[in-house]
Amino acid sequence: MREVTVSRFVPRSPPTLARMLTPEAMVEYEGSFEVRDVQDRTDGTFVTVGGRGVEFVLRFEETDDGLRYEQAGQAGPFDAMETAVTVDADSDGSTVTARSSVSLGLPLPSLTDRVAAWKRRGELERALDAVVEDC
């Protein structure tokens, strides 16, 4: 697995950002897939996403400082993917950090997982840039 981390300063308070960073919003902010269905259950929020001929489920859960999500099940572009988005108070706003681990589960993981991490970094940068724009 490869890990990538992206951070941005956002001129909003942590509670304001926590209200913005919903599971549906994170999928939309990343921009790679569309939300197709949302199910709130006792073990998390399950968001079915799809695009470009693929459909899979992400399981989201709230944390004390943000949210965490992962690809649920075997269907999806990754062998494994998990992401934590944290919001920390900063002077005159907050720092939002997205940290994701990805693996494609393919031969030559040193190469294939590096490519997956590169793509994932782009998604996270796009997501946090969109958060900043929304503020």
Side-chain angles (χ1 to χ4, degrees), residues 89-131:
D90 203 339
S91 60
D92 299 321
S94 303
T95 297
V96 180
T97 302
R99 179 172 287 115
S100 191
S101 297
V102 295
S103 175
L104 293 177
L106 297 173
L108 299 171
S110 62
L111 175 63
T112 58
D113 287 355
R114 182 174 295 154
V115 171
W118 171 80
K119 180 170 181 355
R120 188 72 183 128
R121 177 183 304 282
E123 291 171 333
L124 297 178
E125 287 176 347
R126 187 169 47 240
L128 296 191
D129 288 345
V131 170

Side-chain angles (χ1 to χ4, degrees), residues 38-76:
V38 179
Q39 294 181 2
D40 289 315
R41 302 184 345 201
T42 56
D43 56 341
T45 299
F46 290 76
V47 179
T48 302
V49 301
R52 290 174 272 160
V54 67
E55 184 173 281
F56 60 101
V57 176
L58 297 171
R59 185 178 75 79
F60 286 78
E61 62 183 80
E62 290 185 28
T63 62
D64 291 339
D65 58 355
L67 56 93
R68 182 186 168 286
Y69 56 105
E70 64 188 355
Q71 179 178 291
Q74 298 301 312

